[in-house]
Amino acid sequence: MDAEGLGWLLVPLHQLVSWGAAGAMVFGGVVPYIPQYRDIRRTQNAEGFSTYVCLVLLVANILRILFWFGRRFEAPLLWQSVVMILTMLLMLKLCTEVRVANELNVKRRVFAAADNKDEARAPPRRSYLDFDPQHFWHWNSFGDYVQCVLAFTGVAGCVTYLSIDSALFVESLGFLAVLTEAMLGMPQLCRNHRHQSTEGMSIKMVLMWTSGDTFKTAYFLLNGAPLQFSVCGLLQVLVDLAILGQAYVFTRHPLKPAPHMAHPASAKAL
């Protein structure tokens, strides 16, 4: 009787824990960006956040959604990608508005050329699909970012549709998706090594990355996610630990005085 009563208690408790873990998986990735979003709105300064973070996360999560069509995985992982894409679009919208508002001499840069009713008064435009590294992903309108994301999604979707029957393509797509996200911490790691300093980097942010990536990797392993997810999750944790190791070494044994300049802290998904 006691065992039966205990069972009635454990079943809903287990279900509650499962729902909690799934919810944390879906929405946990956006948590680091909430304070960043609020700081940008409060200060009206977006210099501390790189929009290339948004680019990498958009590509990674679009590829992950396409991978789902070839190999179905846990629903929370799918919804996590959807939520992260929406979050990155919101970050791009805010950063673009703030950056353009703070520019004194605005030079119009666009992803796709559009007709202008008053060419004489129109500011100079970049040409259609100009992938000059100095201007790509530095457009002056949020709509241009949306067009680029839709174009990439369309091309990647067509390739996936034509190759969906190839197991090699599907597995490679999944690996590319999670590998792209796993490499998001590498720019910070390389910058720290190049400057032999972690000045300007938030230790609290890195600790948040580490805890989130550890939770995510454990979720992958316990729920039988595809091997690509688990391997790249472990890689993310190792990169986070390496950054923390740099912070410890450069703080205890500084090799040279850190330059007096602000290094924007990187931000990434859980």
Side-chain angles (χ1 to χ4, degrees), residues 31-45 91 94:
V31 172
Y33 302 97
I34 295 176
Q36 182 72 68
Y37 185 90
R38 296 179 62 183
D39 287 345
I40 293 175
R41 289 199 61 179
R42 177 175 55 83
T43 62
Q44 289 298 295
N45 186 349
M91 291 295 298
L94 178 63

Side-chain angles (χ1 to χ4, degrees), residues 231-248:
V231 171
C232 291
L234 290 171
L235 180 59
Q236 281 183 277
V237 174
L238 291 177
V239 172
D240 296 338
L241 292 176
I243 295 175
L244 290 175
Q246 287 180 325
Y248 176 80

